[in-house]
Amino acid sequence: MIYDLHAHSNASDGILSPEDLVARAKVRSVDVLALTDHDTTAGIRAASLAAKAAGLTFVAGIEFSTQWHKRGVHILGLNIDPGHDQLVEVVQEQHRRRLSRAHLIAERLDRLGMAGSLEGARRIAGSELIGRPHFARYLVEAGHVTSVAAAFKKYLGSGKVGDVAPDWLSMAEVIQVIRRAGGVATLAHPRKYNLTRSKICTLADHFKEEGGQGIEVISGTQTPEDTLDMVRIAERFGLCASAGSDFHMPDQPWQELGACGSLPSGCTPVWQLWQSH
Ligand code: AMP
Ligand code: MN
Ligand code: MN
Ligand code: MN
């Protein structure tokens, strides 16, 4: 069985529509797919219908941007009820925060002589749910940089002018709302926060304490040693293991849909938490 429990559509910063994402999952022999767009559930209905037609098991998900000790940390809500009142409210609140952050990013880019980025990013996003990748694509389009990678390196990545300090909801609040909406809160890509191993452990400890239940022991392609190390952390803090590609678009071999591999034996998979009832 191929599980991929972390993937994006163009409802957030992915390239494929929810339907095309499901079609790609089918071609790549994925058996169980979770759609986990950033701070939105907008693609879930379309993806769920497409998955049903394709005979693929679908898991409704979301990837929340949250704050933990002034750091941005991503928390997946897996197997959520996307219509849950409080979840819907929190999603709306995140949209407001995303939009005001987008205004700040645009002001800063404007001051550097790159005008029109808010309108450009909004058009590329196709909604008000604007992320840094939409700014990056706009900067490429407007000829300010030659690639999305260069846009992050120069203007949007960590520590750069467009890396506006996050004002997301706290990790604890987000874990709570995921759980109320029937979901499993799962710590996304723990190795991508530039934390030392001991800081990752502190994060995992707090996450568990606040009601978190899962951790991505596999994110994209990574070495077996890194996977085993994450499995040890999962075991130490009593967290279930998850695996996801973090797919955003075709032609990125390190995050191809369904290519993250399976969990090492002995792990307690996160899906046991919803398959058991
Ligand atoms: P945001 O949600 O607006 O904070 O944007 C974060 C998103 O930007 C991530 O989910 C990635 O999809 C993308 N991203 C982050 N860093 C890079 C990078 N160096 N190059 C390309 N995309 C990136
Ligand atoms: Mn993204
Ligand atoms: Mn993420
Ligand atoms: Mn992601």
Side-chain angles (χ1 to χ4, degrees):
M1 290 277 277
I2 299 183
Y3 284 80
D4 190 336
L5 299 181
H6 188 153
H8 297 272
S9 77
N10 64 3
S12 66
D13 61 6
I15 293 285
L16 303 182
S17 66
E19 291 88 348
D20 288 347
L21 180 76
V22 169
R24 191 176 186 89
K26 184 73 185 170
V27 167
R28 298 196 49 83
S29 308
V30 173
D31 298 291
V32 182
L33 173 73
L35 178 66
T36 55
D37 273 313
H38 297 285
D39 301 305
T40 184
T41 57
I44 287 178
R45 196 180 143 73
S48 158
L49 290 172
K52 201 166 184 187
L56 194 144
T57 303
F58 179 72
V59 176
I62 189 165
E63 180 175 15
F64 277 114
S65 307
T66 80
Q67 232 178 139
W68 176 71
H69 294 278
K70 301 206 169 147
R71 280 175 187 279
V73 166
H74 287 180
I75 304 294
L76 301 174
L78 296 175
N79 199 45
I80 50 162
D81 166 10
H84 186 274
D85 286 356
Q86 285 176 36
L87 184 98
V88 169
E89 259 176 48
V90 162
V91 164
Q92 285 169 352
E93 176 59 28
Q94 288 283 89
H95 288 198
R96 285 190 283 274
R97 293 180 186 214
R98 237 178 213 285
L99 189 58
S100 56
R101 185 186 68 151
H103 280 275
L104 292 175
I105 294 174
E107 273 169 31
R108 291 184 180 189
L109 294 175
D110 201 48
R111 259 183 256 137
L112 290 177
M114 292 172 280
S117 67
L118 186 63
E119 294 69 31
R122 184 186 274 132
R123 172 174 46 77
I124 290 166
S127 73
E128 300 281 89
L129 195 68
I130 302 165
R132 282 178 288 164
H134 304 117
F135 279 102
R137 287 178 215 157
Y138 171 74
L139 293 180
V140 174
E141 188 188 282
H144 296 299
V145 285
T146 54
S147 68
V148 163
F152 271 90
K153 200 163 174 204
K154 231 174 147 180
Y155 301 117
L156 298 160
S158 173
K160 304 297 173 191
V161 65
D163 178 30
V164 175
D167 176 34
W168 306 122
L169 293 167
S170 73
M171 180 174 85
E173 285 172 283
V174 166
I175 293 169
Q176 269 190 25
V177 80
I178 289 170
R179 297 212 52 181
R180 290 203 187 113
V184 173
T186 300
L187 180 58
H189 44 63
R191 298 172 57 256
K192 292 201 184 129
Y193 304 119
N194 276 326
L195 299 172
T196 60
R197 191 180 191 281
S198 90
K199 269 273 176 192
I200 293 178
C201 289
T202 309
L203 170 60
D205 192 20
H206 287 186
F207 175 75
K208 169 77 179 185
E209 221 167 80
E210 299 293 351
Q213 293 175 290
I215 185 168
E216 281 192 317
V217 303
I218 305 180
S219 173
T221 47
Q222 61 188 45
T223 66
E225 290 74 29
D226 286 334
T227 303
L228 286 178
D229 193 37
M230 285 302 124
V231 168
R232 275 184 224 112
I233 291 178
E235 280 167 359
R236 176 167 163 200
F237 296 100
L239 295 165
C240 294
S242 189
S245 62
D246 205 2
F247 175 83
H248 282 73
M249 64 191 82
D251 303 323
Q252 290 193 314
W254 64 92
Q255 48 174 221
E256 178 53 88
L257 199 60
C260 54
S262 44
L263 295 174
S265 58
C267 285
T268 309
V270 80
W271 50 86
Q272 279 192 1
L273 293 169
W274 63 80
Q275 284 177 354
S276 59
H277 51 254

